[in-house]
C-alpha cells in the first residue's frame, strides 16, 4: 500500500511539471538531482488534496519515501505535508527532521523544512538541546546553518532570541558564505523589533563577520 501511494503521488506530481522549466531550475539550485519543473504553489495545491485523504500514520511514511526519492519537488512536498496541523505527533516529526538533516546539501532542501522546525521547536523547546549538541557541531555546514534558520521564529516579538544569538556568536568566525548569510538574516529579522540587541551584537562581533553579513544585519537599523 505504501509503495502504491508514493508511486501515485509522484505520478500526479510529474503531471504538473513543465519540462521546459527544468534546465533553469537546475541552474538556479546548482544541485545535481532530478527536477520535474513544478512550482511551489502547484505542490501546495497537490498536498492540500492529499492531506484530506490520508491520516497521520499514512502521511509520515509517505514523507519518508518522498524524501528518499531525492527529487527536488518531492522534498518541497515533504515540507508542505509536515506543516499541516493535522500532523500532531511532534516527536515523530522531530525524528524525521533529525534524520532528514543528514541529507542537507542546499539551502532549498534545508529551508523546505524550516516552518516545520518552527512548529516543533516552538512547542517542544527541549529539542533545542539536541540541536545545540548535534546540529551546531555537525560537519555539514548546511546543518549548522539550519540552527539559525530553524529558530528564526525566536526573532519575533515576545520570543527570546538569546540562545540563538549565542549560537550565532560562535559562528562568526565561520566564513562559509551561507553561514555568514544566515547570521545576517537572523540579525536583520531581529532588528525589526529589537534593534538595540542587534546593535549590541554587531558592536561585539561585526569585525569578525564578513562585510556583506554586517550589511544584511544592518538593513533596518537607523
Amino acid at each position: 500500500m505504501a509503495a502504491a501511494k508514493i508511486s501515485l503521488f509522484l505520478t500526479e506530481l510529474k503531471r504538473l511539471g513543465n519540462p521546459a522549466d527544468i534546465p533553469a531550475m537546475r541552474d538556479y539550485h546548482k544541485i545535481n538531482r532530478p527536477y520535474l519543473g513544478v512550482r511551489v504553489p502547484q505542490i501546495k495545491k497537490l498536498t492540500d488534496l492529499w492531506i484530506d485523504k490520508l491520516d497521520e500514520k499514512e502521511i509520515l511514511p509517505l514523507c519518508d519515501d518522498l524524501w528518499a526519492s531525492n527529487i527536488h519537488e518531492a522534498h518541497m512536498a515533504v515540507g508542505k505535508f509536515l506543516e499541516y496541523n493535522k500532523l500532531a505527533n511532534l516527536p515523530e516529526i522531530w525524528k524525521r527532521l533529525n534524520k532528514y538533516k543528514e541529507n542537507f546539501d542546499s539551502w532549498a532542501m534545508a529551508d523546505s523544512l524550516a516552518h516545520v522546525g518552527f512548529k516543533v521547536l516552538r512547542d517542544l523547546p527541549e529539542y533545542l538541546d539536541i540541536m545545540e549538541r548535534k546540529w551546531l557541531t555537525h560537519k555539514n555546514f548546511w546543518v549548522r546553518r539550519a540552527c539559525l534558520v530553524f529558530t528564526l521564529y525566536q526573532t519575533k516579538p515576545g520570543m527570546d532570541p538569546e540562545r540563538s544569538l549565542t549560537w550565532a556568536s560562535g559562528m562568526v568566525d565561520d566564513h562559509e558564505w551561507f553561514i555568514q548569510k544566515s547570521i545576517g538574516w537572523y540579525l536583520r529579522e531581529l532588528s525589526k523589533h529589537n534593534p538595540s540587541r542587534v546593535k549590541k551584537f554587531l558592536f561585539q562581533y561585526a569585525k569578525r563577520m564578513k562585510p556583506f553579513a554586517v550589511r544584511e544585519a544592518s538593513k533596518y537599523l537607523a
Side-chain angles (χ1 to χ4, degrees):
M1 184 65 72
K5 283 187 172 62
I6 180 66
S7 178
L8 180 57
F9 185 88
L10 288 177
T11 296
E12 294 184 11
L13 191 60
K14 289 173 183 177
R15 285 177 184 158
L16 298 172
N18 181 1
D21 290 340
I22 292 175
M25 292 180 69
R26 185 174 287 112
D27 288 345
Y28 177 71
H29 291 290
K30 297 179 175 61
I31 298 294
N32 184 23
R33 63 165 45 92
Y35 297 87
L36 304 177
V38 187
R39 300 182 183 277
V40 172
Q42 295 174 289
I43 297 171
K44 179 64 164 60
K45 287 182 179 179
L46 183 59
T47 59
D48 284 347
L49 292 174
W50 274 67
I51 198 71
D52 290 332
K53 299 186 292 185
L54 302 176
D55 61 31
E56 188 167 13
K57 291 181 179 179
E58 295 173 301
I59 296 168
L60 292 176
L62 176 62
C63 287
D64 291 340
D65 290 338
L66 288 171
W67 193 264
S69 75
N70 198 36
I71 297 170
H72 172 79
E73 289 86 348
H75 293 158
M76 302 302 108
V78 169
K80 297 305 178 188
F81 272 127
L82 295 180
E83 288 177 26
Y84 288 106
N85 290 332
K86 186 175 184 177
L87 275 68
N89 191 334
L90 297 185
E92 281 299 319
I93 294 175
W94 171 257
K95 285 181 184 178
R96 282 161 173 80
L97 296 182
N98 206 33
K99 178 182 177 181
Y100 296 165
K101 79 178 190 302
E102 298 302 325
N103 303 117
F104 287 175
D105 62 8
S106 67
W107 65 265
M109 191 182 199
D111 292 5
S112 69
L113 300 176
H115 287 281
V116 183
F118 295 173
K119 179 173 76 170
V120 175
L121 295 169
R122 194 166 46 219
D123 290 353
L124 296 174
E126 59 266 29
Y127 289 134
L128 291 168
D129 295 336
I130 297 174
M131 184 168 270
E132 186 168 284
R133 293 197 309 271
K134 301 294 186 180
W135 296 44
L136 194 62
T137 58
H138 202 282
K139 63 182 180 181
N140 183 348
F141 74 82
W142 292 113
V143 180
R144 301 197 302 274
R145 170 187 174 273
C147 292
L148 295 184
V149 176
F150 282 36
T151 56
L152 277 167
Y153 69 92
Q154 295 178 357
T155 66
K156 303 302 180 184
M159 302 299 295
D160 183 0
E162 291 305 319
R163 188 169 195 171
S164 292
L165 288 173
T166 298
W167 295 352
S169 69
M171 299 164 79
V172 293
D173 294 320
D174 186 336
H175 287 171
E176 163 58 47
W177 192 92
F178 282 100
I179 292 290
Q180 291 286 311
K181 179 71 173 178
S182 69
I183 297 171
W185 183 8
Y186 193 95
L187 295 172
R188 183 195 70 201
E189 293 304 304
L190 183 61
S191 73
K192 292 177 181 178
H193 75 91
N194 195 350
S196 62
R197 184 63 184 91
V198 174
K199 289 177 181 178
K200 180 180 178 181
F201 186 98
L202 292 175
F203 179 79
Q204 291 179 278
Y205 300 108
K207 290 182 179 179
R208 292 161 58 185
M209 294 165 58
K210 288 291 187 180
F212 79 86
V214 176
R215 289 195 298 272
E216 179 83 3
S218 305
K219 184 175 182 179
Y220 299 118
L221 296 178

